[in-house]
Amino acid sequence: MEELKPLSNFFTAIEQDGRISITHIGIYAALLKYRAQMGNSNPIVAFSYDIMKIAKISSAMTYHKCVKDLNAYGYIRYEPSFNKNRGSKIYFPESDG
């Protein structure tokens, strides 16, 4: 059950955070799934379309808004690449390592 610890930690952290929507949760879960597929590296280097596919989100605008929110709220650290040929870096809290 160790693989569920990062998601469990996230749910504990957002329990009282009214800013977090189901879309934020879906994207965070998709980021964790992608991270597991990449060998649990920290950071991960990901393209938005890969995460959107996992999260079942079709709007790039929604994806970017939610990832920026998660960054601003301190749940991840997001470093956009601004280059379509290079993925963005997404760091997870050290306690989720």
Side-chain angles (χ1 to χ4, degrees):
M1 292 309 239
E2 191 65 28
E3 64 272 3
L4 293 178
K5 189 167 176 28
L7 187 59
S8 179
N9 291 347
F10 178 68
F11 275 110
T12 299
I14 66 167
E15 204 170 281
Q16 301 299 319
D17 192 342
R19 304 169 296 184
I20 299 297
S21 72
I22 190 68
T23 308
H24 292 96
I25 294 168
I27 289 173
Y28 194 86
L31 288 168
L32 289 175
K33 168 75 172 161
Y34 187 82
R35 180 183 182 198
Q37 292 172 341
M38 297 296 118
N40 287 313
S41 60
N42 195 15
I44 59 171
V45 177
F47 291 94
S48 58
Y49 55 81
D50 289 328
I51 306 305
M52 290 168 57
K53 184 176 179 183
I54 297 167
K56 308 282 191 209
I57 294 172
S58 57
S59 169
M61 214 159 139
T62 299
Y63 168 81
H64 289 290
K65 180 201 177 301
C66 287
V67 169
K68 288 177 185 178
D69 287 347
L70 289 168
N71 179 69
Y73 305 157
Y75 296 110
I76 61 172
R77 192 170 97 226
Y78 172 62
E79 294 179 1
S81 72
F82 301 109
N83 181 333
K84 68 178 184 173
N85 298 315
R86 191 173 17 158
S88 298
K89 286 184 181 178
I90 301 171
Y91 295 81
F92 294 87
E94 290 301 319
S95 62
D96 289 350

